[in-house]
Amino acid sequence: MLRILDRLEEILISSLMAAATILIFISVVHRFGTGVSFLYPYLIGIHISWAQELCIYMFIWMAKFGAAYGVRTGIHVGVDVLIKRLNPEWQKGVVLFGLLGGALFTAIVGTMGAKFVIELMSTDQVSPDLELPSWIVYACIPLGSYLMCFRFLQVSWSYWKTGDLPHHDATNVDGIEVSPEAPVALGEA
């Protein structure tokens, strides 16, 4: 079940990123293409003024779910200079406190966001260009926050059991095996 959630999270983030990038590219080509005299008659009838609003919404959704992905994979920036100076017992307690504090914070944000979205559902408020119901736009707040809370709890449980935190290795590329003969640093190449 967790693998399905992990995969859905990754598909959602990458799909939103790809769609937003393509939409912005089309919007820019359209904007500058109307300045070309022979393209003007063809492009002026196409109205994509809604593209900017949709891209903003896609990036917001992507950021909310990307933050949960960051907790799961350990790619968030963390400052642990003082924590590494503590003895191992204190280290574990401080790290768990931080993780559980993150879970509590995201649970509060998710609950407040859910309350806001539920109240917004009873209104007829819509977005300016797309005329989407506003509650759909803001639904990323509780959904993303609750997913991030779950990820904090997941990492906390794993850390409590194993003592290991997820760590992102920027040099690792899935599907590529590292050869022992390969140069490690730029100076060795």
Side-chain angles (χ1 to χ4, degrees):
M1 189 66 177
L2 285 178
R3 284 187 182 172
I4 294 170
L5 180 62
D6 294 350
R7 192 70 180 138
L8 284 173
E9 183 180 45
E10 293 165 0
I11 289 170
L12 179 67
I13 294 165
S14 58
S15 298
L16 287 170
M17 191 180 310
T21 303
I22 291 168
L23 189 56
I24 287 295
F25 177 77
I26 291 169
S27 180
V28 168
V29 168
H30 178 266
R31 180 176 295 153
F32 289 105
T34 56
V36 179
S37 59
F38 71 91
L39 292 176
Y40 181 82
Y42 303 108
L43 296 178
I44 196 64
I46 302 171
H47 298 285
I48 56 174
S49 60
W50 49 266
Q52 181 179 0
E53 181 179 313
L54 180 58
C55 283
I56 290 169
Y57 297 152
M58 286 193 288
F59 275 110
I60 291 169
W61 276 74
M62 181 181 54
K64 286 301 290 178
F65 287 92
Y69 175 81
V71 172
R72 176 174 59 97
T73 58
I75 60 175
H76 282 290
V77 175
V79 180
D80 59 357
V81 173
L82 295 176
I83 294 171
K84 291 205 182 257
R85 291 179 169 257
L86 299 173
N87 67 40
E89 278 184 26
W90 278 92
Q91 278 182 6
K92 192 168 189 170
V94 170
V95 170
L96 278 173
F97 178 77
L99 290 170
L100 293 173
L104 176 65
F105 176 75
T106 53
I108 291 169
V109 170
T111 302
M112 292 174 73
K115 183 179 181 286
F116 177 72
V117 168
I118 290 167
E119 290 173 359
L120 203 54
M121 289 172 87
S122 64
T123 69
D124 58 350
Q125 192 172 5
V126 295
S127 65
D129 291 332
L130 294 171
E131 296 183 1
L132 284 172
S134 291
W135 70 267
I136 292 174
V137 174
Y138 289 104
C140 67
I141 297 169
L143 294 174
S145 296
Y146 283 140
L147 180 61
M148 195 171 179
C149 177
F150 172 73
R151 295 302 187 187
F152 270 121
L153 294 172
Q154 185 181 24
V155 170
S156 299
W157 178 258
S158 174
Y159 181 69
W160 184 62
K161 287 294 213 183
T162 65
D164 293 329
L165 287 170
H167 178 70
H168 178 71
D169 182 6
T171 62
N172 181 41
V173 178
D174 289 338
I176 297 181
E177 294 184 27
V178 178
S179 168
E181 298 88 36
V184 178
L186 290 174
E188 297 178 29

